[in-house]
Amino acid sequence: MSRTKHDSLILLLLLLIAILSISSVESGRPPFACDPRNGLTRSLRFCRTNLPIHVRVRDLLGRLTLPEKIRLLVNNAIDVPRLGIRGYEWWSEALHGVSNVGPGTKFGGSFPGATSFPQVITTAASFNESLWERIGQVVSDEARAMYNGGMAGLTYWSPNVNIFRDPRWGRGQETPGEDPVLAGKYAASYVSGLQSATGNRLKVAACCKHYTAYDLDNWKGVDRFHFNARVSKQDLADTYNVPFKACVVEGKVASVMCSYNQVNGKPTCADPDLLKGTIRGQWHLNGFVPIIHTYIHTYIHTYIHTMFLMFDFICIRYIVSDCDSVGVMYDTQHFTVTPEESAAATIKAGLDLDCGPFLAIYTDLAIRRGLLTVTDVDMALANTVTVQMRLGMFDGEPSAQPYGHLGPRHVCTPDHKQLALEAARQGIVLLKNSGSLPLSTSRHRTIAVIGPNSDVTETMIGNYAGVACDYTSPLKGISRYVRTVHQVGCSNVACKANNLFGFAEVAARHADATVLIMGLDQSIEAEFKDRTGLLLPGYQQELVTRVAQASKGPTILVLMSGGPIDVSFAKYDRRVSAILWAGYPGQAGGTAIADILFGTTNPGGKLPMTWYPQSYVAKVPMTNMGMRPSPGYPGRTYRFYKGPVVFPFGHGLSYTNFKQSLALAPTDLSVLINTNLFATKNYSTLSSNAIKVKHTNCDSLSLPLHIDVENIGNMDGTHTLLLFSEPPTSVKWSQNKQLISFHRVHVVAGSKQRVKIDIHACKHLSVVDEFGIRRIPIGQHSLYIGDLKHSISLQANLEGIKN
């Protein structure tokens, strides 16, 4: 045989092996349960897919022994061989791509990596709901593919929708920012994409975390395990809980995770008011629609579950603890005298699953002591098993299910990589531009690329990330446009020495332009690590200043960070001609940064959080959870803080100019009040000249608002329209401007686009009073769109609705 034929046969054999390998990965995962090849279990009632889910769940619970049930209450659930059920790890993560942070997911073999999108704070800066949903769809495609290949689970404890309340919080990078409306919209969009629900079936099950008022990890000796967040009813209702409500009500999320901290003296995972009362009762996490008795009280949880066993509610969902938080409640917070009391308290409060071993160890003793009943355990398992059935885990062969075709070829695809690049482009924010950007490849032929983040890769994906498909660092991205000269200036972001500054100055002195890529990384801000200040670390500021002084051409500062940085020095330094914030821009971050620097992409991102001066944090301890200002306390976020800022919430420049004008703007709205309330002398409806939302017909309270957005510049661009409302001045208990809607629109140079927004009085013009009650103030409301201001007058109508 000739050498050529021999080599050809070897190549053909290797190709055949690869094809067979891929095929086996895509279709060869053994069923989690109900294996059609297992004659002992395939005919069991809980395996019959033609039966309603509630019937199947009831059958399975009836077959499990108590010890088996108890070992299914934890994240590393045991197998039940006699029923053909395999063990399952509930803990997987997918914050901005499939992650291997949780033990349920691993990379290797046919799945060496997954698409790593920008960190959430960066993606949130796009203010683009369709982008968030599309990212969720891609992430869940890759997650399902990895599940089919035996490398991942189907339950993903993402997204993090906590409010970025304090700029020092190390995990602020994981969140959609400081505004509750923005965070809620992000939550609902990303969850909808992740779950891709069809009827009662899920592609994967998402989880909104960490409920609630959790935004401190480790600050000056105060950690999340010991922290008692003291929160007013008003702040809880109009800030901290808003994204979680959107997750449950609008996003139909499959799960909510309770947090480590206490809220007003109670651990969140053992607080029946927060779990049964709010999540399940008010927001209907169980998808419960009272079709028989509309007056069922929030706390009749057992009755609801009795009805669950009678009807096939398609949206049954579960509540999970943050990892080891049930143990923390007993061991660290000393909430109960005995561990079995802690176990009982959490399950009684509404917890269904413990991330950690605590419930597996102490639930049996709690039952034997009479603190819990087997029915309590059954109720918890009914929720978790129902979600598994909605995922198809009891439907036999994964390859025969709707997403069974997904495999290695559906991970890190060109389309997915392109979406990661587009997400980075949309999220990068131009903070300052004195006219030097965009750079020109003809005038700026040599670029000095300087800084500790100039050639990073893993830094760009932030935390809770997996293994990226590939990386394009900023240096690599810029090098695709022009010749580059590279100097790090500092060996890392801590920048504890200035001995390398001279090399950076020489590079800047001989280049046509200089790009400084500075900022933070996970060594400065991360889980377990809150910052104590807002300035650039170490000698970074000195490096920027010295390089800008030496630079022959324009100097552009690019910042990588999750939290805001006080760069006032650069903002007011004329030698720093432009500033970009890239957040943590994901695997394609370097390409996106370069595309914006050279004008291939016109920046359109807006800041999802306020950038405070360093002086702000000296006045505000992280432990103060109050949102509103008080004597000696300036308040938090753009909604309540009115002091000086480095850059405000919603700030972001473009290479073109936009003009906004009102095309249609009604000025009056009549609010119909339920007159029966006055017949019973329920005058609290009109307390403080504001109507309780629940006492009016919200469906009738809508006004159309049409805004024209005109591109009056010379470059096509995308404009983010931010619509704010402000209540009448008579409302003393909630006098603040708040975001109510946003819309991202692409406008060709010289053209105009009309944006139509429906203003719903109950949703957009209501505010929360000091008792946590949402009301619609009567009087003149102000709407703000950029420099435009429009007034809408609301009048109470007592001739309105009747029961």
Side-chain angles (χ1 to χ4, degrees):
M1 182 183 295
S2 69
R3 177 80 177 179
T4 303
K5 288 183 178 179
H6 180 267
D7 291 346
S8 297
L9 284 173
I10 291 176
L11 287 172
L12 184 62
L13 181 61
L14 290 173
L15 180 62
L16 181 61
I17 292 172
I19 292 172
L20 290 174
S21 174
I22 291 174
S23 176
S24 66
V25 168
E26 292 185 359
S27 60
R29 180 190 180 101
F32 166 75
C34 304
D35 190 337
R37 293 161 295 193
N38 186 337
L40 297 176
T41 62
R42 65 188 177 194
S43 61
L44 294 177
R45 194 169 174 81
F46 66 80
C47 291
R48 298 180 187 176
T49 57
N50 62 327
L51 294 176
I53 286 179
H54 77 274
V55 174
R56 300 171 66 192
V57 171
R58 182 171 54 191
D59 179 75
L60 174 58
L61 294 182
R63 296 175 186 272
L64 293 169
T65 66
L66 180 58
E68 289 168 343
K69 290 176 180 179
I70 290 172
R71 281 295 282 113
L72 296 178
L73 292 173
V74 291
N75 63 291
N76 56 340
I78 62 163
D79 59 340
V80 187
R82 65 184 185 83
L83 297 179
I85 299 172
R86 296 178 181 271
Y88 180 69
E89 176 54 67
W90 284 83
W91 181 7
S92 289
E93 301 280 355
L95 183 67
H96 52 107
V98 180
S99 167
N100 56 354
V101 170
T105 303
K106 57 184 180 292
F107 291 100
S110 299
F111 299 94
T115 308
S116 191
F117 290 90
Q119 181 60 286
V120 175
I121 194 69
T122 311
T123 309
S126 70
F127 283 81
N128 188 340
E129 294 177 67
S130 62
L131 173 67
W132 303 331
E133 183 170 2
R134 179 64 186 132
I135 291 173
Q137 291 168 345
V138 166
V139 172
S140 58
D141 274 354
E142 298 194 351
R144 261 286 176 172
M146 292 182 67
Y147 172 78
N148 293 340
M151 303 294 280
L154 289 177
T155 47
Y156 288 85
W157 293 345
S158 305
N160 179 342
V161 298
N162 292 116
I163 295 297
F164 197 171
R165 170 189 62 98
D166 191 289
R168 294 160 289 193
W169 187 31
R171 301 188 72 177
Q173 60 183 292
E174 302 173 30
T175 76
E178 71 181 36
D179 182 79
V181 170
L182 172 62
K185 292 290 185 184
Y186 177 87
S189 300
Y190 187 65
V191 165
S192 295
L194 267 183
Q195 298 191 156
S196 298
T198 303
N200 69 339
R201 297 294 173 151
L202 303 171
K203 194 199 301 183
V204 303
C207 173
C208 287
K209 61 184 186 184
H210 312 81
Y211 178 79
T212 182
Y214 166 69
D215 47 17
L216 180 151
D217 268 68
N218 191 352
W219 178 79
K220 293 188 175 182
V222 181
D223 65 52
R224 60 188 181 177
F225 306 121
H226 297 83
F227 182 52
N228 178 21
R230 299 193 178 278
V231 185
S232 70
K233 290 181 179 180
Q234 189 174 27
D235 286 343
L236 198 64
D238 84 345
T239 299
Y240 296 111
N241 280 358
V242 172
F244 292 97
K245 182 178 180 180
C247 256
V248 174
V249 177
E250 298 171 32
K252 310 297 181 189
V253 74
S255 174
V256 172
M257 176 184 285
C258 50
S259 54
Y260 290 108
N261 58 288
Q262 296 185 357
V263 172
N264 299 327
K266 288 185 180 179
T268 61
C269 293
D271 190 335
D273 291 330
L274 289 176
L275 304 189
K276 283 184 180 180
T278 302
I279 299 181
R280 295 202 189 281
Q282 295 177 27
W283 302 342
H284 306 305
L285 182 77
N286 278 0
F288 172 67
V289 179
I291 54 178
I292 296 179
H293 299 290
T294 59
Y295 56 82
I296 296 175
H297 191 271
T298 293
Y299 291 97
I300 310 183
H301 191 51
T302 303
Y303 185 77
I304 291 176
H305 270 271
T306 301
M307 294 190 66
F308 158 72
L309 296 176
M310 297 166 55
F311 300 97
D312 192 17
F313 293 111
I314 65 173
C315 291
I316 296 294
R317 295 168 271 179
Y318 72 100
I319 297 174
V320 61
S321 73
D322 205 340
C323 295
D324 291 321
S325 63
V326 180
V328 165
M329 185 177 81
Y330 171 72
D331 295 322
T332 304
Q333 298 176 0
H334 310 297
F335 183 66
T336 62
V337 175
T338 65
E340 62 270 22
E341 288 172 333
S342 285
T346 57
I347 294 176
K348 286 284 191 182
L351 187 72
D352 303 309
L353 185 70
D354 175 18
C355 178
F358 201 88
L359 291 187
I361 299 171
Y362 296 108
T363 298
D364 180 66
L365 183 56
I367 292 173
R368 286 191 279 116
R369 283 193 54 194
L371 304 173
L372 273 180
T373 66
V374 176
T375 301
D376 294 323
V377 173
D378 284 346
M379 283 192 281
L381 288 179
N383 291 327
T384 55
V385 172
T386 296
V387 169
Q388 289 181 312
M389 288 194 177
R390 294 177 64 198
L391 289 163
M393 294 174 66
F394 286 84
D395 292 354
E397 288 284 0
S399 59
Q401 297 179 34
Y403 302 105
H405 66 286
L406 296 173
R409 68 177 183 271
H410 299 99
V411 180
C412 291
T413 69
D415 285 348
H416 294 183
K417 293 180 181 180
Q418 183 61 34
L419 185 64
L421 172 59
E422 182 58 30
R425 287 169 172 164
Q426 291 192 26
I428 292 175
V429 182
L430 179 60
L431 298 174
K432 172 186 174 180
N433 188 18
S434 301
S436 60
L437 291 183
L439 297 173
S440 167
T441 55
S442 60
R443 288 184 291 109
H444 306 110
R445 297 183 179 182
T446 301
I447 303 290
V449 182
I450 296 169
N453 280 335
S454 56
D455 196 27
V456 295
T457 52
E458 290 187 12
T459 294
M460 297 192 300
I461 62 177
N463 70 349
Y464 276 80
V467 178
C469 308
D470 47 45
Y471 293 104
T472 302
S473 72
L475 176 63
K476 186 176 180 180
I478 295 170
S479 297
R480 290 173 176 173
Y481 280 91
V482 293
R483 178 178 174 270
T484 57
V485 179
H486 180 227
Q487 291 290 333
V488 293
C490 303
S491 57
N492 53 49
V493 295
C495 199
K496 293 182 178 180
N498 60 7
N499 58 299
L500 301 176
F501 287 12
F503 299 106
E505 290 172 294
V506 170
R509 197 172 291 123
H510 292 88
D512 299 316
T514 298
V515 177
L516 283 151
I517 305 176
M518 314 295 287
L520 314 177
D521 64 15
Q522 301 307 302
S523 70
I524 304 295
E525 56 175 357
E527 187 171 11
F528 308 117
K529 189 175 292 185
D530 299 324
R531 289 186 287 163
T532 56
L534 302 181
L535 300 176
L536 283 168
Y539 289 97
Q540 281 197 44
Q541 180 171 327
E542 180 185 335
L543 175 60
V544 173
T545 301
R546 285 176 55 173
V547 167
Q549 289 173 340
S551 183
K552 180 177 74 173
T555 299
I556 294 91
L557 174 61
V558 178
L559 297 167
M560 282 193 197
S561 71
I565 305 171
D566 183 352
V567 287
S568 301
F569 77 96
K571 177 182 178 181
Y572 297 111
D573 188 341
R574 293 183 179 180
R575 292 162 300 191
V576 179
S577 54
I579 305 175
L580 281 175
W581 176 67
Y584 294 122
Q587 65 179 44
T591 300
I593 289 169
D595 288 347
I596 287 176
L597 290 174
F598 287 94
T600 303
T601 298
N602 191 348
K606 303 285 186 184
L607 288 179
M609 72 295 204
T610 301
W611 283 40
Y612 302 88
Q614 171 69 10
S615 58
Y616 172 82
V617 298
K619 307 171 186 174
V620 182
M622 278 194 75
T623 50
N624 190 326
M625 300 295 291
M627 298 300 298
R628 289 159 171 79
S630 59
Y633 179 72
R636 296 184 178 276
T637 77
Y638 79 93
R639 296 162 64 216
F640 306 104
Y641 171 70
K642 305 307 177 187
V645 300
V646 181
F647 296 108
F649 172 88
H651 176 70
L653 306 175
S654 171
Y655 294 151
T656 189
N657 295 302
F658 297 97
K659 179 183 177 183
Q660 300 173 137
S661 58
L662 291 174
L664 175 65
T667 58
D668 298 285
L669 179 65
S670 180
V671 180
L672 306 178
I673 303 176
N674 189 332
T675 53
N676 286 344
L677 297 170
F678 284 86
T680 59
K681 296 185 179 181
N682 190 349
Y683 298 112
S684 65
T685 292
L686 265 175
S687 173
S688 302
N689 204 30
I691 302 169
K692 287 183 179 179
V693 165
K694 65 181 181 181
H695 291 166
T696 186
N697 181 7
C698 290
D699 293 337
S700 66
L701 302 180
S702 178
L703 289 171
L705 189 69
H706 295 180
I707 303 115
D708 286 338
V709 179
E710 184 179 0
N711 186 338
I712 57 176
N714 299 317
M715 186 177 184
D716 297 352
T718 299
H719 178 66
T720 300
L721 186 152
L722 302 178
L723 177 61
F724 297 87
S725 74
E726 189 173 66
T729 56
S730 59
V731 183
K732 303 301 181 184
W733 36 263
S734 189
Q735 185 54 232
N736 60 284
K737 187 171 75 171
Q738 61 185 9
L739 181 71
I740 60 173
S741 185
F742 53 87
H743 191 91
R744 187 179 174 97
V745 57
H746 185 76
V747 189
V748 175
S751 70
K752 181 188 298 184
Q753 292 284 347
R754 179 161 294 181
V755 177
K756 299 178 181 180
I757 298 174
D758 287 326
I759 306 295
H760 297 279
C762 292
K763 182 186 295 185
H764 298 139
L765 302 181
S766 64
V767 292
V768 175
D769 68 16
E770 59 265 55
F771 304 106
I773 298 171
R774 188 163 287 278
R775 297 177 178 274
I776 304 173
I778 299 302
Q780 185 169 289
H781 292 249
S782 299
L783 301 181
Y784 298 89
I785 312 105
D787 295 331
L788 298 176
K789 180 180 179 181
H790 176 71
S791 296
I792 297 178
S793 179
L794 269 58
Q795 302 92 31
N797 184 351
L798 298 181
E799 302 298 322
I801 57 175
K802 297 182 178 181
N803 287 335

